[in-house]
Amino acid sequence: MRIELQQISKRFGQVLANDQVSMTVEAGSIHGLLGENGAGKSTIVKVLSGFISRDSGDVLFDGRPANVKTPADAIRSGVGMLHQDPLDFPPLSVLDNFMVGRGEVLSKGVFSGLKFVNPDRARQEFRRLTETFNFSLNPNDRVSDLTVGERQQLEIIRLLSLGVKTLILDEPTTGISADQKTALFDASRQLASEGKSVIFVSHKLEDVEELCDRVTVMRAGKVVGNVTIPCPDSVLIDLIFGKELALPMKPITRQSEPMLELNNVVVKDDRLTLNMGNFTAYKGEVIGLAGLEGSGQQLLLLVCAGLIKAAAGTVSIDDLNLTQKPYAEYLNHGIGYSPADRLKDGLIRGLSIHEHVILRNPNRKLMIDWKETHQRAMEAIATFNIRGKPDSHVERLSGGNQQRTQLALLPVPLNLLLMEHPTRGLDIESTLWVWQQLIARCQTGTTILFMSSDLDEIMQYSDRVLVFSGGQVSAPIETSKLTAEKLGQMIGGRFVEAEPASI
């Protein structure tokens, strides 16, 4: 299906998110949409998919004007959107979620008000689509047990089963494994070969260059260029940022004193058991946690943050044994946690940046000094370059600005900083800026443990790397002795010879 956006504008209060945006997506193509955080990418695709109403401009599907006011309107017209955080119902099964949006109840003999449901037929269609795109999904699994990549796969086949002809992918490669990314790209190419169109929203140049035929670049709510792929990185970077970007060099920040010590720690959840053995991280050190999603990295971060308890062993911070202590004790001893799911675990929907700053304040009094806390919110917005105002609700910020807000709320100083995908959803410039801030913390003695699906990020910023594979953990490896190829092999389970008794 051919998509035409003509002079689309959208304003949120005083912020002009889309300013006369025009873009054409041809049938049978994969069209990239690039831009830094807050450039207006998500707004324009949400207008197209019916999640946001436009203030002015026209939308045409195959040359015909379209009146898209809701997501249901868009899907009926053949447009579906996969969001950064897939829209699903975690307590329900995969098959239940597959049927969402049809006006059907997946229960034999139950009438939904529209028609009877045939569960066997639904299961057959589910199986056909998963086999077509080589997705490995069990219809009986709970969605809450799926990785981000698997949830994306479920949402894609659900949308396709509803007859979608144009599929919008909003930052889809963030937080998924290399294999899941390959499956996603293969599925996108297959859809294009069938005459469908794919709009690929991203800030990752390498992904756009690998997948897309053509790219529209946005900056500050406007279209600043349309480029045919392939093209030099320098051309795209100049369009996105209007300047060249220099990669920061990580200085040596690791000190000789231990900060985090794990002694024979065992962590369990419903899916796996993680045996950490003995492990020490030093003051100022950055430890990268590499592996497929769900391989145990998050379990390690959660137990070090005091959010879950170790089944065995001891956790010590700066020579203080915190094992089995309440979460508040971990906070009091300078341990900070930054989760990947910003709106579920890191921020609170419905609250403003100002209100988050108030909640963060460890010296809360009976009466709130609104003037003083408003000033601190303004300072946080300026320091972290958040594109919002103190009264901006966090759910209305772009994904990148939500991440900046979450980082702005971390206490200073910290002994130990634990992070899930610290640059998730951030553009190149924002990623470089975040790591400048993190390196500055390391220079004051903060130890950082972070998990990331971006192997380049792991290689560039880690002093040492732990590799996770199905609950197994490698011995820590000096990054200087590691290559991206070797790291990829280890993630697949081919661990190098090591001494696991003392890691």
Side-chain angles (χ1 to χ4, degrees):
M1 181 167 67
R2 188 173 193 264
I3 302 286
E4 293 177 80
L5 301 174
Q6 299 179 345
Q7 304 294 307
I8 301 294
S9 291
K10 177 62 183 179
R11 182 181 293 276
F12 297 102
Q14 297 180 353
V15 178
L16 186 57
N18 286 157
D19 185 4
Q20 302 287 303
V21 174
S22 295
M23 181 175 72
T24 299
V25 179
E26 300 293 344
S29 72
I30 303 176
H31 194 106
L33 185 57
L34 267 175
E36 63 179 322
N37 297 126
K41 308 185 302 296
S42 292
T43 298
I44 193 64
V45 293
K46 286 179 179 178
V47 166
L48 177 58
S49 58
F51 283 84
I52 293 175
S53 60
R54 62 190 184 274
D55 295 334
S56 61
D58 298 307
V59 178
L60 283 74
F61 296 154
D62 284 333
R64 295 185 296 274
N67 187 22
V68 177
K69 294 183 178 180
T70 67
D73 291 339
I75 287 176
R76 280 192 291 269
S77 299
V79 176
M81 180 170 171
L82 172 66
H83 294 256
Q84 284 188 47
D85 299 303
L87 303 181
D88 49 32
F89 297 92
L92 300 182
S93 73
V94 168
L95 192 59
D96 288 338
N97 275 269
F98 175 71
M99 299 303 294
V100 168
R102 299 168 178 265
E104 300 174 350
V105 177
L106 193 62
S107 179
K108 194 170 183 178
V110 177
F111 187 67
S112 69
L114 294 176
K115 53 181 151 180
F116 285 101
V117 178
N118 186 326
D120 293 333
R121 188 177 302 168
R123 191 177 293 270
Q124 289 172 6
E125 175 151 3
F126 176 87
R127 185 180 299 113
R128 179 185 67 81
L129 286 168
T130 54
E131 290 175 353
T132 297
F133 294 101
N134 197 29
F135 291 164
S136 298
L137 295 171
N138 185 333
N140 300 318
D141 284 347
R142 283 184 178 273
V143 169
S144 57
D145 292 332
L146 302 184
T147 65
V148 173
E150 290 168 336
R151 291 169 61 200
Q152 287 182 350
Q153 293 174 358
L154 170 59
E155 182 66 359
I156 287 172
I157 63 170
R158 187 187 76 82
L159 291 170
L160 293 176
S161 74
L162 295 174
V164 164
K165 299 175 183 176
T166 295
L167 182 63
I168 302 169
L169 306 176
D170 190 9
E171 302 286 2
T173 62
T174 299
I176 67 175
S177 70
D179 287 344
Q180 290 169 342
K181 174 179 166 180
T182 297
L184 175 68
F185 282 17
D186 287 345
S188 299
R189 294 186 184 102
Q190 184 170 337
L191 291 173
S193 71
E194 296 171 357
K196 297 181 173 65
S197 54
V198 176
I199 300 175
F200 185 80
V201 184
S202 182
H203 63 274
K204 297 183 179 180
L205 300 185
E206 64 272 20
D207 289 347
V208 168
E209 290 170 347
E210 179 181 348
L211 183 65
C212 298
D213 312 308
R214 190 167 177 79
V215 174
T216 294
V217 182
M218 294 184 65
R219 191 193 320 150
K222 296 182 179 182
V223 172
V224 293
N226 289 281
V227 180
T228 300
I229 301 296
C231 77
D233 283 356
S234 57
V235 173
L236 294 175
I237 289 174
D238 185 61
L239 284 171
I240 295 170
F241 302 107
K243 60 184 177 182
E244 294 184 3
L245 300 176
L247 291 176
M249 296 297 294
K250 183 183 180 300
I252 297 174
T253 58
R254 182 168 55 189
Q255 303 174 22
S256 58
E257 299 88 356
M259 175 60 77
L260 169 69
E261 294 181 271
L262 306 179
N263 295 309
N264 298 315
V265 165
V266 177
V267 195
K268 298 180 179 180
D269 70 1
D270 295 336
R271 303 183 69 181
L272 55 81
T273 297
L274 179 66
N275 292 284
M276 282 301 300
N278 297 322
F279 169 69
T280 299
Y282 296 89
K283 292 182 179 181
E285 185 174 22
V286 178
I287 302 290
L289 311 181
L292 299 180
E293 196 81 11
S295 295
Q297 309 95 301
Q298 188 185 51
L299 283 180
L300 173 59
L301 295 177
L302 291 173
V303 78
C304 290
L307 291 168
I308 60 174
K309 303 302 180 186
T314 60
V315 178
S316 299
I317 302 295
D318 206 14
D319 286 332
L320 180 68
N321 187 345
L322 293 179
T323 310
Q324 306 304 325
K325 296 288 186 181
Y327 174 58
E329 285 292 313
Y330 286 76
L331 291 177
N332 291 337
H333 287 90
I335 300 175
Y337 193 89
S338 178
D341 195 330
R342 295 176 287 255
L343 289 180
K344 177 184 176 185
D345 301 318
L347 303 171
I348 304 173
R349 290 177 182 271
L351 295 189
S352 67
I353 297 174
H354 183 190
E355 290 165 330
H356 277 80
V357 169
I358 293 172
L359 289 174
R360 184 199 69 173
N361 182 13
N363 299 315
R364 291 187 296 270
K365 299 179 181 179
L366 182 61
M367 301 296 291
I368 296 172
D369 187 335
W370 289 95
K371 184 176 180 180
E372 189 266 338
T373 54
H374 185 276
Q375 179 60 35
R376 284 196 281 113
M378 290 290 290
E379 291 170 357
I381 288 170
T383 301
F384 286 82
N385 195 24
I386 301 167
R387 296 191 177 179
K389 297 186 176 182
D391 61 355
S392 297
H393 283 197
V394 291
E395 72 271 16
R396 301 302 296 269
L397 302 175
S398 69
N401 284 299
Q402 289 173 6
Q403 183 72 345
R404 286 173 178 264
T405 300
Q406 186 167 272
L407 292 172
L409 296 172
L410 289 170
V412 178
L414 284 173
N415 286 323
L416 179 63
L417 178 52
L418 307 160
M419 310 190 79
E420 298 178 19
H421 306 290
T423 59
R424 178 174 181 255
L426 298 186
D427 58 57
I428 301 170
E429 185 177 35
S430 297
T431 295
L432 299 180
W433 180 87
V434 164
W435 275 106
Q436 287 173 349
Q437 311 310 307
L438 297 180
I439 290 169
R441 282 181 177 262
C442 291
Q443 290 173 322
T444 65
T446 300
T447 300
I448 294 177
L449 271 65
F450 79 100
M451 59 182 283
S452 176
S453 58
D454 188 334
L455 299 190
D456 290 335
E457 182 175 38
I458 293 277
M459 294 288 293
Q460 183 172 353
Y461 296 109
S462 303
D463 294 301
R464 292 186 294 165
V465 177
L466 295 177
V467 183
F468 294 70
S469 181
Q472 288 184 292
V473 189
S474 75
I477 309 166
E478 295 284 342
T479 309
S480 60
K481 300 178 181 179
L482 195 59
T483 64
E485 180 181 1
K486 188 176 184 179
L487 181 56
Q489 291 174 347
M490 293 182 67
I491 288 173
R494 299 178 183 176
F495 282 5
V496 295
E497 292 186 4
E499 298 178 5
S502 180
I503 63 171

